[in-house]
Amino acid sequence: MVSRSRTLSVSLGLLAVTALLSGCAGGSSDPGSSTAAGDADAPATITFVGYGGGGQDAQIEAWQKPYTEAHPNVTFVNTSPPDVAQVKAQVESGSVQWDVMATAPYAAQQNCGTLFEKLDLSAIDQTDLVEGTVGECYLGNWINATPIAYRTDAFPAGQGPKTVADFFDTDKFPGQRGIVTNLQNGILEYPLLADGVDPDELYPLDVDRALNKLDTIRDVTTFAPNVGALQQAVEADQVDMFLLPDSRLVPLLQSGMDITIVWDETVASLNAFAIPKGAPNKDAAVDFISSVVEPDQVAKISELLGVAPVNTAAKPQLDEFTKQVEVYGPANTGGTVLQDVDWYAENFNDVSTKLTTWLAG
């Protein structure tokens, strides 16, 4: 977790931390070089579950195409959206269909060994990976930032919100808000920050306090079930200010939408892959996800989506749009709060239930 005063140190820390990484022995960036357990060249069709839309298209381009070039006997079937409840249903019925699923690392960790496979990732050279990338039941693939942003035309002449507190000030800043209900996108952290909690003291999260603060904007907020739905609401001018991940802001900026990003305190989270317990192509899935943390693949996904790399050896060449959402780059003039994976891993199911109940109320 990172406060405003520690933004520089965190940025440097992400570049210097020595905990975890890249492909296989020798640190090669060749997607065919990973050496996970099992025969990676055996014929297999990996069912890959992502969030859909342009983000999944980028994953196909950055990760799946290089992998299938190196492993021509492996093919992919892509579907969406990822859902832990669906994994539970598949596991309990003994009919697991998915092989790789994008997920929050803490969702995989809390259900480690029950809904998700314990993974042997010892073949991965972890030297250059950001701390926390390799888990017992997950492998991180990028760091997502979810900054506050607004349609510039909704607040002309520089009169838009400038702080997290402004997002919750409906008197000074009227208009429709947009929030994704996914825990990864700051739905609990932002209300606590707005309510005066110091970034260094966020965890353990006071969930009740966060929901009480959300109550103050409930009547003027669109709670989107996923990032794609909120992106569409922004494109349709249905929301004025919103909490939208960097990877979804980039296509909006590319399309010519006039969007202002608010760099006050920004919530960021580790995104990951997990393998459902009993996955029909576990060995091929392990080998594939091991390849996505190699420098070339990490750089490519950052270039396509604007997400922050989990491999510090990666050197993405960002364009004018991805630079605007670079949470650990010069664009971010505020602070960054990186979600506490351990706290969420311990509390994920209970917190999810409490948030779901609040949303239904």
Side-chain angles (χ1 to χ4, degrees):
M1 176 178 51
V2 186
S3 68
R4 181 194 310 273
S5 62
R6 297 170 57 200
T7 303
L8 178 59
S9 65
V10 167
S11 179
L12 294 175
L14 284 172
L15 294 174
V17 67
T18 56
L20 313 125
L21 172 134
S22 125
C24 63
S28 169
S29 62
D30 176 6
S33 65
S34 54
T35 57
D39 183 359
D41 290 317
T45 299
I46 296 174
T47 299
F48 179 98
V49 189
Y51 295 103
Q56 193 152 343
D57 291 342
Q59 293 170 40
I60 292 170
E61 181 68 26
W63 296 334
Q64 295 180 19
K65 286 185 177 180
Y67 190 81
T68 54
E69 288 175 3
H71 302 281
N73 288 336
V74 176
T75 56
F76 288 87
V77 171
N78 282 274
T79 187
S80 65
D83 185 354
V84 175
Q86 285 290 327
V87 174
K88 183 177 181 180
Q90 291 181 28
V91 171
E92 290 181 347
S93 68
S95 180
V96 178
Q97 301 171 10
W98 295 351
D99 296 302
V100 175
M101 188 182 91
T103 188
Y106 38 78
Q109 196 61 31
Q110 185 161 60
N111 298 289
C112 187
T114 55
L115 299 183
F116 296 101
E117 293 279 1
K118 293 185 178 181
L119 304 177
D120 179 5
L121 300 172
S122 59
I124 295 177
D125 175 6
Q126 302 183 14
T127 304
D128 295 318
L129 288 187
V130 171
E131 185 175 5
T133 299
V134 177
E136 187 179 15
C137 278
Y138 70 84
L139 181 65
N141 48 46
W142 69 53
I143 296 171
N144 243 142
T146 304
I148 294 172
Y150 62 88
R151 290 180 20 250
T152 310
D153 62 354
F155 300 96
Q159 297 303 308
K162 294 180 173 59
T163 67
V164 176
D166 289 346
F167 189 87
F168 288 80
D169 189 338
T170 58
D171 292 330
K172 188 175 180 181
F173 300 96
Q176 190 72 10
R177 276 74 172 155
I179 298 176
V180 181
T181 57
N182 191 325
L183 288 169
Q184 282 181 282
N185 300 121
I187 190 172
L188 297 180
E189 284 85 356
Y190 277 117
L192 291 173
L193 291 168
D195 206 38
V197 177
D198 188 280
D200 287 327
E201 298 175 358
L202 270 177
Y203 300 95
L205 294 181
D206 187 336
V207 178
D208 291 332
R209 181 175 175 180
L211 296 179
N212 287 338
K213 187 66 173 178
L214 283 172
D215 272 327
T216 66
I217 61 169
R218 184 168 195 155
D219 292 343
V220 291
T221 300
T222 297
F223 291 99
N226 54 63
V227 292
L230 183 54
Q231 180 182 338
Q232 291 174 0
V234 176
E235 291 173 319
D237 293 347
Q238 295 172 349
V239 292
D240 301 304
M241 64 180 79
F242 37 89
L243 305 177
L244 194 63
D246 42 19
S247 58
R248 297 293 177 147
L249 288 169
V250 168
L252 296 177
L253 293 168
Q254 291 172 331
S255 73
M257 283 200 73
D258 192 358
I259 293 172
T260 299
I261 299 172
V262 178
W263 295 110
D264 180 26
E265 292 292 342
T266 299
V267 177
S269 62
L270 180 68
N271 194 64
F273 285 136
I275 297 175
K277 190 170 179 63
N281 298 286
K282 177 185 174 183
D283 288 343
V286 170
D287 195 81
F288 165 66
I289 65 172
S290 297
S291 75
V292 307
V293 294
E294 295 168 1
D296 286 352
Q297 280 68 22
V298 170
K300 184 65 173 179
I301 203 68
S302 293
E303 290 167 358
L304 291 173
L305 297 179
V307 293
V310 294
N311 185 340
T312 62
K315 304 299 179 186
Q317 302 299 309
L318 303 183
D319 62 20
E320 61 179 303
F321 304 108
T322 50
K323 283 181 179 179
Q324 293 182 55
V325 299
E326 190 181 10
V327 69
Y328 294 113
N332 185 356
T333 56
T336 304
V337 174
L338 189 59
Q339 285 189 328
D340 188 326
V341 172
D342 291 337
W343 184 86
Y344 270 109
E346 184 177 347
N347 298 279
F348 175 73
N349 289 345
D350 290 342
V351 172
S352 296
T353 298
K354 183 170 284 192
L355 176 60
T356 300
T357 301
W358 182 87
L359 289 166

